[in-house]
PDB file of all heavy atoms in Angstrom:
ATOM      1  N   TYR A1134     -11.934  -5.851  -3.074  1.00 97.00           N
ATOM      2  CA  TYR A1134     -12.651  -6.318  -4.273  1.00 97.00           C
ATOM      3  C   TYR A1134     -14.158  -6.089  -4.133  1.00 97.00           C
ATOM      4  O   TYR A1134     -14.806  -5.527  -5.019  1.00 97.00           O
ATOM      5  CB  TYR A1134     -12.348  -7.794  -4.524  1.00 97.00           C
ATOM      6  CG  TYR A1134     -13.227  -8.409  -5.573  1.00 97.00           C
ATOM      7  CD1 TYR A1134     -12.994  -8.156  -6.923  1.00 97.00           C
ATOM      8  CD2 TYR A1134     -14.310  -9.209  -5.221  1.00 97.00           C
ATOM      9  CE1 TYR A1134     -13.819  -8.696  -7.893  1.00 97.00           C
ATOM     10  CE2 TYR A1134     -15.132  -9.754  -6.187  1.00 97.00           C
ATOM     11  CZ  TYR A1134     -14.888  -9.495  -7.518  1.00 97.00           C
ATOM     12  OH  TYR A1134     -15.708 -10.016  -8.478  1.00 97.00           O
ATOM     13  N   TYR A1155      -4.527  -4.067  -8.006  1.00 98.00           N
ATOM     14  CA  TYR A1155      -5.651  -4.939  -8.366  1.00 98.00           C
ATOM     15  C   TYR A1155      -6.955  -4.150  -8.433  1.00 98.00           C
ATOM     16  O   TYR A1155      -7.277  -3.391  -7.518  1.00 98.00           O
ATOM     17  CB  TYR A1155      -5.787  -6.070  -7.333  1.00 98.00           C
ATOM     18  CG  TYR A1155      -4.590  -6.984  -7.274  1.00 98.00           C
ATOM     19  CD1 TYR A1155      -3.619  -6.828  -6.285  1.00 98.00           C
ATOM     20  CD2 TYR A1155      -4.417  -7.996  -8.211  1.00 98.00           C
ATOM     21  CE1 TYR A1155      -2.511  -7.661  -6.231  1.00 98.00           C
ATOM     22  CE2 TYR A1155      -3.320  -8.831  -8.167  1.00 98.00           C
ATOM     23  CZ  TYR A1155      -2.379  -8.668  -7.168  1.00 98.00           C
ATOM     24  OH  TYR A1155      -1.275  -9.490  -7.133  1.00 98.00           O
ATOM     25  N   GLY A1157     -10.030  -6.048  -9.510  1.00 96.00           N
ATOM     26  CA  GLY A1157     -10.568  -7.301 -10.035  1.00 96.00           C
ATOM     27  C   GLY A1157     -12.028  -7.253 -10.465  1.00 96.00           C
ATOM     28  O   GLY A1157     -12.501  -8.158 -11.146  1.00 96.00           O
ATOM     29  N   TRP A1158     -12.735  -6.184 -10.064  1.00 96.00           N
ATOM     30  CA  TRP A1158     -14.148  -6.082 -10.486  1.00 96.00           C
ATOM     31  C   TRP A1158     -14.269  -5.682 -11.951  1.00 96.00           C
ATOM     32  O   TRP A1158     -15.335  -5.794 -12.536  1.00 96.00           O
ATOM     33  CB  TRP A1158     -14.897  -5.085  -9.585  1.00 96.00           C
ATOM     34  CG  TRP A1158     -14.344  -3.698  -9.654  1.00 96.00           C
ATOM     35  CD1 TRP A1158     -14.707  -2.703 -10.516  1.00 96.00           C
ATOM     36  CD2 TRP A1158     -13.285  -3.160  -8.857  1.00 96.00           C
ATOM     37  NE1 TRP A1158     -13.947  -1.583 -10.300  1.00 96.00           N
ATOM     38  CE2 TRP A1158     -13.071  -1.820  -9.285  1.00 96.00           C
ATOM     39  CE3 TRP A1158     -12.504  -3.650  -7.802  1.00 96.00           C
ATOM     40  CZ2 TRP A1158     -12.109  -1.004  -8.704  1.00 96.00           C
ATOM     41  CZ3 TRP A1158     -11.555  -2.833  -7.242  1.00 96.00           C
ATOM     42  CH2 TRP A1158     -11.362  -1.534  -7.685  1.00 96.00           C
ATOM     43  N   LYS A1162      -9.442  -7.323 -15.673  1.00 96.00           N
ATOM     44  CA  LYS A1162      -8.374  -7.135 -14.689  1.00 96.00           C
ATOM     45  C   LYS A1162      -8.441  -8.197 -13.597  1.00 96.00           C
ATOM     46  O   LYS A1162      -9.519  -8.526 -13.109  1.00 96.00           O
ATOM     47  CB  LYS A1162      -8.481  -5.736 -14.051  1.00 96.00           C
ATOM     48  CG  LYS A1162      -8.351  -4.589 -15.041  1.00 96.00           C
ATOM     49  CD  LYS A1162      -6.922  -4.458 -15.552  1.00 96.00           C
ATOM     50  CE  LYS A1162      -6.729  -3.174 -16.321  1.00 96.00           C
ATOM     51  NZ  LYS A1162      -6.719  -3.377 -17.771  1.00 96.00           N
ATOM     52  N   PRO A1163      -7.271  -8.733 -13.202  1.00 97.00           N
ATOM     53  CA  PRO A1163      -7.263  -9.782 -12.180  1.00 97.00           C
ATOM     54  C   PRO A1163      -7.480  -9.211 -10.777  1.00 97.00           C
ATOM     55  O   PRO A1163      -7.265  -8.017 -10.545  1.00 97.00           O
ATOM     56  CB  PRO A1163      -5.852 -10.361 -12.299  1.00 97.00           C
ATOM     57  CG  PRO A1163      -5.025  -9.188 -12.728  1.00 97.00           C
ATOM     58  CD  PRO A1163      -5.910  -8.374 -13.643  1.00 97.00           C
ATOM     59  N   CYS A1164      -7.899 -10.063  -9.857  1.00 96.00           N
ATOM     60  CA  CYS A1164      -7.915  -9.706  -8.438  1.00 96.00           C
ATOM     61  C   CYS A1164      -6.745 -10.425  -7.753  1.00 96.00           C
ATOM     62  O   CYS A1164      -6.026 -11.208  -8.383  1.00 96.00           O
ATOM     63  CB  CYS A1164      -9.249 -10.065  -7.790  1.00 96.00           C
ATOM     64  SG  CYS A1164      -9.465 -11.821  -7.405  1.00 96.00           S
ATOM     65  N   TYR A1165      -6.571 -10.165  -6.471  1.00 96.00           N
ATOM     66  CA  TYR A1165      -5.452 -10.758  -5.732  1.00 96.00           C
ATOM     67  C   TYR A1165      -5.523 -12.279  -5.745  1.00 96.00           C
ATOM     68  O   TYR A1165      -4.514 -12.964  -5.856  1.00 96.00           O
ATOM     69  CB  TYR A1165      -5.474 -10.217  -4.303  1.00 96.00           C
ATOM     70  CG  TYR A1165      -4.360 -10.726  -3.417  1.00 96.00           C
ATOM     71  CD1 TYR A1165      -3.051 -10.276  -3.601  1.00 96.00           C
ATOM     72  CD2 TYR A1165      -4.612 -11.639  -2.399  1.00 96.00           C
ATOM     73  CE1 TYR A1165      -2.022 -10.726  -2.789  1.00 96.00           C
ATOM     74  CE2 TYR A1165      -3.590 -12.090  -1.575  1.00 96.00           C
ATOM     75  CZ  TYR A1165      -2.296 -11.635  -1.770  1.00 96.00           C
ATOM     76  OH  TYR A1165      -1.285 -12.089  -0.967  1.00 96.00           O
ATOM     77  N   ARG A1166      -6.761 -12.805  -5.676  1.00 94.00           N
ATOM     78  CA  ARG A1166      -6.896 -14.266  -5.642  1.00 94.00           C
ATOM     79  C   ARG A1166      -6.631 -14.911  -6.999  1.00 94.00           C
ATOM     80  O   ARG A1166      -6.287 -16.087  -7.057  1.00 94.00           O
ATOM     81  CB  ARG A1166      -8.278 -14.661  -5.118  1.00 94.00           C
ATOM     82  CG  ARG A1166      -8.403 -14.541  -3.606  1.00 94.00           C
ATOM     83  CD  ARG A1166      -9.749 -15.026  -3.112  1.00 94.00           C
ATOM     84  NE  ARG A1166      -9.912 -14.829  -1.681  1.00 94.00           N
ATOM     85  CZ  ARG A1166      -9.557 -15.707  -0.745  1.00 94.00           C
ATOM     86  NH1 ARG A1166      -9.013 -16.853  -1.088  1.00 94.00           N
ATOM     87  NH2 ARG A1166      -9.742 -15.445   0.525  1.00 94.00           N
ATOM     88  N   CYS A1167      -6.788 -14.159  -8.086  1.00 94.00           N
ATOM     89  CA  CYS A1167      -6.376 -14.680  -9.405  1.00 94.00           C
ATOM     90  C   CYS A1167      -4.891 -15.032  -9.377  1.00 94.00           C
ATOM     91  O   CYS A1167      -4.454 -15.980 -10.018  1.00 94.00           O
ATOM     92  CB  CYS A1167      -6.589 -13.633 -10.496  1.00 94.00           C
ATOM     93  SG  CYS A1167      -8.295 -13.297 -10.931  1.00 94.00           S
ATOM     94  N   PHE A1168      -4.128 -14.257  -8.635  1.00 92.00           N
ATOM     95  CA  PHE A1168      -2.676 -14.429  -8.573  1.00 92.00           C
ATOM     96  C   PHE A1168      -2.283 -15.471  -7.527  1.00 92.00           C
ATOM     97  O   PHE A1168      -1.510 -16.394  -7.796  1.00 92.00           O
ATOM     98  CB  PHE A1168      -2.043 -13.072  -8.257  1.00 92.00           C
ATOM     99  CG  PHE A1168      -0.584 -13.116  -7.909  1.00 92.00           C
ATOM    100  CD1 PHE A1168       0.320 -13.847  -8.683  1.00 92.00           C
ATOM    101  CD2 PHE A1168      -0.095 -12.419  -6.820  1.00 92.00           C
ATOM    102  CE1 PHE A1168       1.666 -13.878  -8.355  1.00 92.00           C
ATOM    103  CE2 PHE A1168       1.247 -12.448  -6.495  1.00 92.00           C
ATOM    104  CZ  PHE A1168       2.125 -13.179  -7.264  1.00 92.00           C
ATOM    105  N   PRO A1232      -2.839 -12.399 -15.748  1.00 95.00           N
ATOM    106  CA  PRO A1232      -4.158 -12.517 -16.376  1.00 95.00           C
ATOM    107  C   PRO A1232      -5.267 -12.750 -15.347  1.00 95.00           C
ATOM    108  O   PRO A1232      -5.015 -13.218 -14.234  1.00 95.00           O
ATOM    109  CB  PRO A1232      -4.005 -13.743 -17.278  1.00 95.00           C
ATOM    110  CG  PRO A1232      -2.939 -14.563 -16.622  1.00 95.00           C
ATOM    111  CD  PRO A1232      -2.036 -13.616 -15.877  1.00 95.00           C
ATOM    112  N   LYS A1233      -6.481 -12.413 -15.739  1.00 95.00           N
ATOM    113  CA  LYS A1233      -7.644 -12.736 -14.914  1.00 95.00           C
ATOM    114  C   LYS A1233      -7.889 -14.235 -15.006  1.00 95.00           C
ATOM    115  O   LYS A1233      -7.820 -14.811 -16.094  1.00 95.00           O
ATOM    116  CB  LYS A1233      -8.858 -11.977 -15.434  1.00 95.00           C
ATOM    117  CG  LYS A1233     -10.035 -11.923 -14.471  1.00 95.00           C
ATOM    118  CD  LYS A1233     -11.135 -11.062 -15.085  1.00 95.00           C
ATOM    119  CE  LYS A1233     -12.295 -10.845 -14.109  1.00 95.00           C
ATOM    120  NZ  LYS A1233     -11.967  -9.854 -13.075  1.00 95.00           N
ATOM    121  N   ASP A1234      -8.144 -14.879 -13.863  1.00 93.00           N
ATOM    122  CA  ASP A1234      -8.402 -16.317 -13.832  1.00 93.00           C
ATOM    123  C   ASP A1234      -9.915 -16.536 -13.924  1.00 93.00           C
ATOM    124  O   ASP A1234     -10.647 -16.174 -13.004  1.00 93.00           O
ATOM    125  CB  ASP A1234      -7.854 -16.901 -12.526  1.00 93.00           C
ATOM    126  CG  ASP A1234      -8.204 -18.372 -12.373  1.00 93.00           C
ATOM    127  OD1 ASP A1234      -8.778 -18.955 -13.312  1.00 93.00           O
ATOM    128  OD2 ASP A1234      -7.909 -18.922 -11.299  1.00 93.00           O
ATOM    129  N   PRO A1235     -10.400 -17.121 -15.036  1.00 92.00           N
ATOM    130  CA  PRO A1235     -11.854 -17.301 -15.194  1.00 92.00           C
ATOM    131  C   PRO A1235     -12.452 -18.178 -14.103  1.00 92.00           C
ATOM    132  O   PRO A1235     -13.640 -18.074 -13.800  1.00 92.00           O
ATOM    133  CB  PRO A1235     -11.991 -17.977 -16.566  1.00 92.00           C
ATOM    134  CG  PRO A1235     -10.634 -18.020 -17.172  1.00 92.00           C
ATOM    135  CD  PRO A1235      -9.611 -17.674 -16.136  1.00 92.00           C
ATOM    136  N   GLY A1236     -11.633 -19.045 -13.491  1.00 92.00           N
ATOM    137  CA  GLY A1236     -12.115 -19.903 -12.413  1.00 92.00           C
ATOM    138  C   GLY A1236     -11.851 -19.350 -11.027  1.00 92.00           C
ATOM    139  O   GLY A1236     -12.007 -20.055 -10.029  1.00 92.00           O
ATOM    140  N   CYS A1237     -11.462 -18.061 -10.942  1.00 93.00           N
ATOM    141  CA  CYS A1237     -11.114 -17.453  -9.654  1.00 93.00           C
ATOM    142  C   CYS A1237     -12.305 -17.502  -8.695  1.00 93.00           C
ATOM    143  O   CYS A1237     -13.446 -17.213  -9.088  1.00 93.00           O
ATOM    144  CB  CYS A1237     -10.689 -16.009  -9.877  1.00 93.00           C
ATOM    145  SG  CYS A1237     -10.416 -15.077  -8.361  1.00 93.00           S
ATOM    146  N   SER A1238     -12.040 -17.828  -7.418  1.00 90.00           N
ATOM    147  CA  SER A1238     -13.114 -17.932  -6.423  1.00 90.00           C
ATOM    148  C   SER A1238     -13.692 -16.563  -6.089  1.00 90.00           C
ATOM    149  O   SER A1238     -14.799 -16.457  -5.571  1.00 90.00           O
ATOM    150  CB  SER A1238     -12.593 -18.591  -5.154  1.00 90.00           C
ATOM    151  OG  SER A1238     -11.590 -17.788  -4.568  1.00 90.00           O
ATOM    152  N   ALA A1239     -12.947 -15.492  -6.348  1.00 92.00           N
ATOM    153  CA  ALA A1239     -13.439 -14.153  -6.001  1.00 92.00           C
ATOM    154  C   ALA A1239     -14.068 -13.450  -7.215  1.00 92.00           C
ATOM    155  O   ALA A1239     -15.227 -13.067  -7.177  1.00 92.00           O
ATOM    156  CB  ALA A1239     -12.304 -13.304  -5.445  1.00 92.00           C
ATOM    157  N   CYS A1240     -13.288 -13.280  -8.287  1.00 92.00           N
ATOM    158  CA  CYS A1240     -13.784 -12.461  -9.399  1.00 92.00           C
ATOM    159  C   CYS A1240     -14.214 -13.296 -10.605  1.00 92.00           C
ATOM    160  O   CYS A1240     -14.616 -12.743 -11.621  1.00 92.00           O
ATOM    161  CB  CYS A1240     -12.726 -11.439  -9.821  1.00 92.00           C
ATOM    162  SG  CYS A1240     -11.322 -12.123 -10.691  1.00 92.00           S
ATOM    163  N   GLY A1241     -14.113 -14.628 -10.484  1.00 87.00           N
ATOM    164  CA  GLY A1241     -14.527 -15.497 -11.592  1.00 87.00           C
ATOM    165  C   GLY A1241     -16.010 -15.741 -11.554  1.00 87.00           C
ATOM    166  O   GLY A1241     -16.801 -14.856 -11.240  1.00 87.00           O
TER     167      GLY A1241
HETATM  168 ZN1  LIG B2323      -9.805 -13.087  -9.265  1.00 55.92          ZN
END
Side-chain angles (χ1 to χ4, degrees):
Y1134 170 77
Y1155 297 99
W1158 61 90
K1162 299 289 191 258
C1164 77
Y1165 181 73
R1166 282 184 184 271
C1167 289
F1168 169 47
K1233 195 176 186 76
D1234 175 5
C1237 173
S1238 63
C1240 72

